[in-house]
Amino acid sequence: MALYKVKTFIGIFTIDDNKKVISFSPFPKDPILVASRLKDEVDEAPEEIENFLKENLLRYALEYKFVKNQAEFNQFLTEVNSEIAKQKIKEIVSRDVLIIHTNNAIEELDKSINIFIERLREWYSLHFPEMDKVIEDHKTFAKLIEKFGNRKDIDDKRLNQFKEKSMGIDFTQEDIETVKALATTIIKLYELRERFSNYLSKLLKEIAPNFSVIAGDVVAAKLIAKAGGLERLARMPSSTIQLLGAEKALFRFLKSKEKFKSPKFGLIYNHPLIKSAPKDKQGKIARLLSSKLSIAARIDYYSKEYKADKMKKELEERVKEVLVAKK
Amino acid sequence: MVKIEKTKFYGIFKVDGNLATVNLVPGEKVYGEELIKEKNVEYRYWDYWRSKPAAAIKNGLKILPLEKGMNILYLGIANGTTASHFSDIIGKEGLIYGVEISERPFRELLPLVEKRGNIVPILSNARKPEDYEDQILGKVDLVYEDVATEDQVEILIRNCEKFLKSEGFAIIAIKSQSIDVTRPPKEVYDECLQKLEKHFEILDKVKLDPYEKFHLFVVMKSKK
Ligand SMILES: C[S@@+](CC[C@H](N)C(=O)[O-])C[C@H]1O[C@@H](n2cnc3c(N)ncnc32)[C@H](O)[C@@H]1O
């Protein structure tokens, strides 16, 4: 007669072929301990025996005085499973979440920087309106104000000619210091952005080495963030990757098929291979790109074996063929 | 004076005209709902803007198979808003196995289950019942599903085949928008009902407008 050992959340049963329990060694009544004991592998018993024990577990728990009543049984079951779940959460949360937070923080910084820059330009234009047109680069604009403050003190060959006859009003020392403080903050935000973006590149090399080489860091991070992680991306068909970030346009198209065109791409539009291609070839290139991206995401998720250089070359050759083809 | 009326459903009351259940853990709110004490019993308002069964009752549902001591498999339990009322109704002798795929709402569920002692939290994908079969002790009386995915009907059927008692109950909140946004809801509902009727007898169904748009709430009994 065969004997089986079956592990349950209240302890280990030894049971025979006829479903007769020979012995029972209870677990200590500590959910954390039980949760970890349940993880150890044991030999499998026939399903019928396991099911029998599961269905009669409450009865045995009462018989062996493991619990006083059903409510106590349920409470213990709840706590053990809660512990199992907590341990599982720790395992699930993977480092790709860092990519998502960093990417989103950069997007938020960009928005903030833009709002502040607009404010700075308007504000400082009261004092030196001519500078707004001449200095197009935002960061330079903020830096000049931070460095020189008053229009009269600016020393820059693009601006010197406008200083004397400027139409702007005079600013007091306090006016200047205040607007300078805004400029300083904007520069700090730029520095923060730079730091995040370096960190993001590092994360991508570690977590999505193939995907990020094919997509480029910026597009890679946005796609991972939009998909909700590398695992989800790895499970997506390439047609979904192609349209990630175009949900609104897709929805509009589906709702009124005539008025709008079906979108050809979402976030991947920002990839240089697509952006630089003529309009009538973009759709085809988007398909090539997203299918390579999908393969790369899978490699990164499952093995991380580095194949990106070869894949990138293949992709570029295919794109070249598309570009020279007559259509 | 608070006015308390029974409804035709076990464990569900009307307190000053609001749906309510009796709080299993007195003093504890789950999602900001109001608590009302009357003659030493604490009632918890059941918000029909936040919970689909309450909306279904509000819209005239006639059959809701919930009873003291029941075992329920709940697919898509999220943070437990609805499950907390089920937990009130079935009491300490009942059990809810709550499956949720996303760890974000699940984290909020954990403190709740430890206080209540009748909800077993399971962080798993309801598409893979094999992954959590070890955690479910025996068959259940009711499978409740609110996952809002394209394959939600198939998910329900698979789980019922594995875990539902013969002649047990099943409830599904069908979200037409998750199944196919391009087709009119009615068409989607009919197609789902057709699939469901192969396995279940449909006991009751109501739409959940305006509380939940594009939802059909269906109560069924297994034919097996
Ligand atoms: C509409 S919400 C449920 C709300 C909840 N039933 C309530 O009323 O309190 C849908 C939930 O189903 C979960 N879900 C979606 N797909 C799932 C799957 N395959 N397995 C388990 N849960 C899933 C989602 O993460 C989400 O939390």
Side-chain angles (χ1 to χ4, degrees):
Chain A
M1 179 170 291
L3 285 182
Y4 303 104
K5 274 194 187 311
V6 181
K7 199 161 46 175
T8 70
F9 83 102
I10 62 171
I12 297 171
F13 287 84
T14 312
I15 185 167
D16 72 14
D17 276 348
N18 294 323
K19 300 179 185 158
K20 188 168 153 14
V21 172
I22 309 293
S23 70
F24 168 61
S25 78
F27 284 147
K29 248 176 140 180
D30 172 348
I32 299 182
L33 262 169
V34 174
S36 69
R37 294 289 296 276
L38 285 175
K39 272 202 206 151
D40 313 333
E41 290 293 323
V42 283
D43 298 334
E44 294 256 321
E47 204 176 310
E48 201 196 326
I49 301 233
E50 289 192 346
N51 285 344
F52 167 81
L53 265 182
K54 266 201 291 189
E55 277 161 27
N56 292 281
L57 202 56
L58 171 62
R59 183 161 65 76
Y60 286 120
L62 293 167
E63 244 168 56
Y64 285 104
K65 301 203 163 51
F66 188 84
V67 292
K68 288 192 298 293
N69 54 37
Q70 186 176 3
E72 194 188 333
F73 179 85
N74 288 356
Q75 177 76 38
F76 190 63
L77 180 64
T78 300
E79 284 172 15
V80 169
N81 279 284
S82 180
E83 208 44 58
I84 292 174
K86 280 181 201 161
Q87 298 182 3
K88 207 163 162 187
I89 288 180
K90 277 194 204 135
E91 288 161 18
I92 288 181
V93 176
S94 54
R95 285 178 65 79
D96 59 349
V97 182
L98 294 172
I99 296 180
I100 301 180
H101 281 302
T102 314
N103 173 74
N104 295 354
I106 291 175
E107 286 177 5
E108 284 150 11
L109 270 179
D110 283 343
K111 275 189 207 144
S112 314
I113 289 174
N114 269 331
I115 290 172
F116 284 138
I117 273 288
E118 239 171 79
R119 172 65 52 217
L120 182 71
R121 280 184 182 272
E122 255 186 70
W123 191 337
Y124 197 72
S125 289
L126 295 176
H127 177 55
F128 193 8
E130 294 78 7
M131 175 162 147
D132 187 35
K133 286 265 148 43
V134 178
I135 307 296
E136 278 180 8
D137 182 65
H138 294 329
K139 205 167 163 184
T140 315
F141 192 92
K143 279 204 161 142
L144 283 167
I145 295 172
E146 190 199 26
K147 185 162 174 210
F148 299 110
N150 200 305
R151 159 184 90 214
K152 292 198 296 280
D153 303 324
I154 291 186
D155 184 14
D156 182 281
K157 54 182 178 316
R158 290 163 292 184
L159 292 170
N160 288 343
Q161 49 172 323
F162 302 106
K163 276 182 350 194
E164 299 306 315
K165 31 186 186 10
S166 170
M167 295 184 301
I169 61 170
D170 286 338
F171 269 10
T172 66
Q173 192 56 31
E174 193 187 1
D175 297 340
I176 287 288
E177 289 309 325
T178 311
V179 77
K180 237 171 109 167
L182 178 59
T184 308
T185 301
I186 291 172
I187 288 160
K188 287 243 166 67
L189 292 179
Y190 272 116
E191 285 165 7
L192 191 58
R193 191 196 189 286
E194 172 102 13
R195 178 173 172 176
F196 284 1
S197 128
N198 290 338
Y199 173 62
L200 185 63
S201 298
K202 257 204 213 153
L203 283 177
L204 285 166
K205 252 202 205 82
E206 169 200 327
I207 296 161
N210 292 290
F211 189 74
S212 60
V213 165
I214 312 261
D217 283 354
V218 174
V219 174
K222 283 183 194 293
L223 286 172
I224 291 173
K226 186 81 203 174
L230 184 60
E231 177 180 1
R232 300 231 187 120
L233 207 54
R235 294 185 193 287
M236 277 178 189
S238 72
S239 54
T240 308
I241 296 180
Q242 187 176 341
L243 291 178
L244 265 186
E247 290 75 14
K248 275 206 190 116
L250 186 64
F251 192 69
R252 233 184 318 154
F253 163 71
L254 291 172
K255 266 185 107 173
S256 59
K257 291 199 162 133
E258 298 92 59
K259 266 190 271 158
F260 297 96
K261 276 198 217 146
S262 154
K264 290 198 190 72
F265 24 64
L267 288 165
I268 61 164
Y269 178 71
N270 294 310
H271 193 283
L273 283 179
I274 297 185
K275 236 181 169 168
S276 64
K279 272 235 155 6
D280 61 327
K281 309 247 161 147
Q282 284 177 334
K284 199 153 200 186
I285 295 174
R287 238 169 306 141
L288 288 175
L289 175 61
S290 50
S291 96
K292 269 281 181 287
L293 286 174
S294 155
I295 297 168
R298 275 171 217 174
I299 299 176
D300 286 342
Y301 181 64
Y302 292 106
S303 73
K304 295 207 192 327
E305 188 190 340
Y306 190 76
K307 296 184 181 163
D309 294 335
K310 190 168 148 271
M311 290 173 67
K312 197 172 172 195
K313 231 170 106 197
E314 278 166 17
L315 175 66
E316 281 164 358
E317 268 159 29
R318 290 296 316 270
V319 169
K320 232 184 255 157
E321 286 167 28
V322 170
L323 288 174
V324 297
K326 283 233 186 61
K327 203 179 166 170
Chain B
M1 212 3 224
V2 188
K3 192 171 148 217
I4 313 240
E5 299 160 79
K6 286 200 168 168
T7 65
K8 59 171 159 281
F9 306 108
Y10 173 83
I12 304 175
F13 302 86
K14 271 202 160 163
V15 178
D16 279 345
N18 300 285
L19 281 181
T21 54
V22 175
N23 200 353
L24 188 68
V25 193
E28 290 280 340
K29 292 185 185 186
V30 174
Y31 55 99
E33 71 284 13
E34 229 178 287
L35 304 179
I36 303 281
K37 201 153 191 165
E38 176 68 19
K39 297 207 185 95
N40 266 329
V41 181
E42 188 176 275
Y43 296 88
R44 253 176 2 104
Y45 281 180
W46 194 352
D47 187 342
Y48 38 78
W49 291 101
R50 303 276 297 275
S51 177
K52 286 159 202 153
I57 292 174
K58 183 90 178 154
N59 283 357
L61 188 79
K62 290 187 204 68
I63 299 171
L64 185 65
L66 288 175
E67 267 163 52
K68 191 181 166 128
M70 247 190 179
N71 282 5
I72 301 173
L73 172 59
Y74 191 134
L75 307 172
I77 192 168
N79 59 7
T81 300
T82 295
S84 69
H85 290 285
F86 288 4
S87 150
D88 284 349
I89 295 168
I90 62 171
K92 297 252 185 214
E93 264 78 51
L95 264 184
I96 299 169
Y97 297 97
V99 179
E100 172 56 52
I101 195 171
S102 156
E103 114 249 344
R104 192 104 177 239
F106 193 84
R107 270 182 225 266
E108 285 173 46
L109 177 72
L110 290 180
L112 190 86
V113 309
E114 286 173 20
K115 276 180 212 139
R116 294 189 156 256
N118 64 358
I119 305 176
V120 174
I122 299 174
L123 183 59
S124 270
N125 182 347
R127 288 190 188 93
K128 297 187 184 163
E130 320 74 72
D131 287 358
Y132 47 90
E133 65 184 345
D134 285 348
Q135 278 160 283
I136 297 184
L137 306 175
K139 302 230 161 176
V140 300
D141 306 292
L142 164 68
V143 178
Y144 180 91
E145 189 213 79
D146 179 17
V147 292
T149 63
E150 192 187 343
D151 53 349
Q152 62 173 168
V153 169
E154 288 75 15
I155 291 180
L156 177 76
I157 292 171
R158 285 206 57 203
N159 278 274
C160 287
E161 277 170 352
K162 220 169 161 75
F163 300 117
L164 186 60
K165 275 191 185 141
S166 70
E167 298 190 31
F169 295 99
I171 298 179
I172 184 171
I174 302 174
K175 184 176 184 188
S176 73
Q177 292 254 310
S178 306
I179 294 171
D180 191 340
V181 282
T182 63
R183 283 158 59 203
K186 171 99 180 36
E187 232 179 272
V188 177
Y189 297 152
D190 285 348
E191 192 185 290
C192 292
L193 289 170
Q194 256 181 24
K195 285 189 206 160
L196 289 165
E197 273 170 343
K198 292 199 185 109
H199 305 261
F200 305 101
E201 179 193 339
I202 312 274
L203 301 179
D204 199 359
K205 55 178 199 283
V206 291
K207 289 197 190 125
L208 299 185
D209 300 274
Y211 312 109
E212 291 279 354
K213 295 207 177 107
F214 307 110
H215 276 78
L216 186 71
F217 191 86
V218 189
V219 180
M220 298 162 283
K221 186 171 182 170
S222 171
K223 283 185 179 167
K224 270 189 230 146

